[in-house]
Amino acid sequence: MASLADLPALTRLPHPAPTPADLREATIADPGFGRVFTDHMVVIDWSEDAGWHNATLGPRGPIALDPAAAVLHYAQEIFEGLKAYRLADGSMALFRPDQNARRFNASAQRLAMPQIPEELFVDAVRQLVLQDADWFPQVDGGSLYIRPFMFATEAFLGVRPAKAYKFVVILSPAGNYFKSGAPAVSVWVSEYTRAAPGGTGAAKCGGNYAASLVPTGEAFAKGHDQVVFLDAEERRWIEELGGMNLFFVFDDGSLITPPLSGTILPGITRDSLLTLAREEGLAVREERYSIDQWRDDAASGRLVESFACGTAAVVTPVGHVAGRNHDFTIGSGGPGQLTGKLKARLVDIQRGAVADRHGWVMRLG
Ligand SMILES: *Cc1c(COP(=O)(O)O)cnc(C)c1O
């Protein structure tokens, strides 16, 4: 692995007009999700000739792009999502940022983009969070949501991998993900599919999200909170939500989550919960589970809980499932016991309330 000494150092650019403290406090009092941003950003350029260069931590602002920039035409873009948490002792920490760096590079590979050294990715995140630490929201469940992303900047309309990219990191103070703060969400089983075998389903790329907006809009219009995607081949196997992985909990205390077959996103929350559940002695299977089985098991009572998981919304119970051929309630329709227990185990580690036996928590500062 490259040591930090071999990587471009972040040049700090002064901010001409940082947000005044009173305005900042007012802005982060009720931040919601994804609509408030801090004062700074990291930008690092890559070109075929120079590799990674021009690394800056400076004022957040618009990015000038040539109208022929490849990302605007062929969507060569990938991103990550992680959070800085406040620990019990008041310091801040990241949760498994190395995993985000690794997944970012896996996405980059699938989208024919350059690899970024994991140390550079994590250091950029770390330094930006420390720079804008004053933006950490005090609200219950608050965090600094971190959005690293990379896109093709080369001005060229021919179809081939671009020869120039920007890696950028921005921060967004965040409260709870779901506006309603609902104890359990209702999901809509879409007729659209998200990912096909051999496609980009396992990559965290903007293109996947672009294709999920119509089905997500349909779910919202029908009064649901999220969309569930089935597999593209048989339209039968449950894959995941638009941006979260799914778990199913049975009356014998066992769990199922769909396997990483290449068409679902390998969630870090998913992986962490698998580890925690196995440590609890629970039987966990990474196994295909069909929509009809979901309905039948919910009806028979064999299935007692279902939940979605991801960094943004952490662990979210699924209470109701509807679709063109489906309409059923899971358990009592509210949050389940095991869901709550696993969520508490994870959140306690993320917030430093219990010992971190896995080396998942990276303290900052
Ligand atoms: C990011 C993402 C997830 C969740 O991944 P985490 O690492 O747990 O945040 C799940 N599904 C999709 C499609 C995603 O983009």
Side-chain angles (χ1 to χ4, degrees), residues 164-220:
Y165 298 87
K166 269 189 197 302
F167 170 76
V168 184
V169 190
I170 56 174
L171 301 179
S172 178
N176 278 322
Y177 185 78
F178 285 107
K179 278 198 294 288
S180 53
V185 298
S186 174
V187 295
W188 172 255
V189 182
S190 186
E191 308 269 308
Y192 291 97
T193 58
R194 176 185 170 276
T200 56
K204 214 167 171 72
C205 60
N208 288 343
Y209 278 75
S212 78
L213 298 179
V214 163
T216 301
E218 205 172 79
F220 291 169

Side-chain angles (χ1 to χ4, degrees), residues 103 194 204 209 240 242-245 265 267-269 310-311:
R103 185 172 66 190
R194 176 185 170 276
K204 214 167 171 72
Y209 278 75
E240 61 173 315
M244 278 181 277
N245 297 117
L265 202 288
I268 295 163
T269 316
T311 297

